[in-house]
Amino acid sequence: MRQLTFSIFRFNPNIPGDKPRMQEYKLEEQDGMSMFVALTKIREELDPTLMFDFVCRAAICGSCAMLINGRPRLACKTLAKNMPSRITMMPLPVFKLIGDLCVDTGTWFKDLQIKTEAWVHTNKKFDPKALEEKMDNEVAEKIYEPDRCVECGCCVAACITANIRDDFIGATGINRVARFMLDPRDERSDADYFDVVGNEEGTFGCVGLMGCDDLCPMEIPLQENLAYVRRKMAAAGLKLQFQGVKVS
Amino acid sequence: MELAKNLQTTINKSHGKTDLYVDLAQSISGILLVGFLWMHMLFVSTVVINPALFDTLSIGLDKYYLAQFGIPGTVLLIIVHIFLAGRRAPLRLRDLRIAWRLTRMMNHYDTWVWAGQVITALMIGIMASMHLWTIMTSWPLRAATSAARVASVGPADHSFGGFEFPFFIVFYVIFLIVGEYHAGFGLYRIFVKWGWFERHKMGWLLKGITVIIIALGFTALYTFTQIAANLPAGGAIH
Ligand code: SF4
Ligand code: SF4
Ligand code: FES
């Protein structure tokens, strides 16, 4: 088995005087070793002060995203056998650094939920005793596609636009809106959606760099979903103009 | 997204449909310019078939005032496109630094291509102005004048220690590649954003077209140098 060298970003902004630096650790490669296993081993055997995030270890929670050899990836889904023997690890850009490889994606995503109003808008009264309404299987599957997003933030980190524009909602944000547009239970009109994403902070801010589409660890078809929202918003915007009033 | 919540962005929030129009105008100006460039190269390539055909076409464009309106129109379109597409480029030093570092670090194909587009855009800005200046100062445009221009060497005023350098042929080879690169990938990006075609297949198709047009351009340049070699001495312009 190979000897692996990990070069890991170290910096704790909460320690006064601490400076960002890269620190090296050496480990023996193991069968089926993921970056999660490697980091845990480093923390247990070499350096208990190393900070990084994990919850599910199975690409479900999205908390372990980091830059591995420069690319945003989920550490638990990245296997050592697919990597060269020298591996660099850095925290995701854009998000607030907590320390070493930990970033706060939670606050960013909470803001995103509020900004895109990411909940089903309906005037129907909820009756807890009534039988749940059935949804067409095809529709359900369509909604499920964008809904697979685990909020890891990889697409945000991979996007130059999101890196240089603080207010850009990123592919995950536009994808989120697509999810509600597809949902027949959401009663929002196109004009309502236009207010949310029909601007440069949303769909018209995207430059089409496709870092998001290529690097999303869940392989969500982001290009398609982004283009869907863009087309829909353009159509809505142009139609609005013709009639001079809000139309759905 | 912290900044999104402060007063500055609250009172200056974009209202209405400005962002949509600007984005649409960017895509449309891009498509029109690609159309112009590809057509331009097809017209120029007629010289490969026959210089007389090139002249007939050129005379026709002048006669029906297509050149007289087309050229200023295109210049205007380019200026509009610079403003529309330029707003997407990282302009602040801070943004440039972030964009450059991330591009190198991620080593992601499409992001590299985009970095190339920003660089070629700058080159086109300079080279298109030079190209325009030289064709306007040797108007009208005919196979012979173009050939003389392409083949001219300079600066060669030996009284000032000038040297001979085939400036224009080098200029046009670079200009051709840079221009077609920017156009081909620009169109790719527009299609990607609007999602009209499958991304990878369409990418290959556009690369194919770009290579063909560059090859056409090379053949045309070669033809011009051959024509120039047969021009009477002193008949050269520039
Ligand atoms: S869209 Fe993909 S890359 Fe982006 S946050 Fe969701 S799962 Fe992560
Ligand atoms: S396509 Fe590019 S600009 Fe648009 S969200 Fe994805 S990475 Fe960002
Ligand atoms: S630990 Fe949950 S996605 Fe990696």
Side-chain angles (χ1 to χ4, degrees), chain B residues 43 46-47 50-62 141-146:
Chain B
F43 280 13
T46 54
V47 79
N50 186 351
L53 181 63
F54 180 96
D55 283 347
T56 318
L57 202 63
S58 175
I59 292 167
L61 287 179
D62 291 352
L141 209 66
R142 300 291 177 262
T145 57
S146 294

Side-chain angles (χ1 to χ4, degrees), chain A residues 62 65 72 74 95 108-109 146 148-156 171-173 175-176 212 215-220 222:
Chain A
L74 294 180
F95 303 101
W108 194 95
F109 275 96
R148 288 189 299 116
C149 171
V150 295
E151 302 195 349
C152 62
C154 285
C155 59
V156 178
T172 179
N175 178 68
R176 182 68 46 94
C212 56
L215 299 176
C216 167
M218 304 312 289
E219 292 172 27
I220 296 173
L222 288 173

Side-chain angles (χ1 to χ4, degrees), chain A residues 27 30-43 54 75-76:
Chain A
L27 273 188
Q30 291 171 345
D31 254 345
M33 185 189 236
S34 70
M35 294 300 112
F36 159 71
V37 175
L39 281 167
T40 314
K41 242 174 127 50
I42 292 174
R43 182 153 66 187
F54 282 93
C76 69

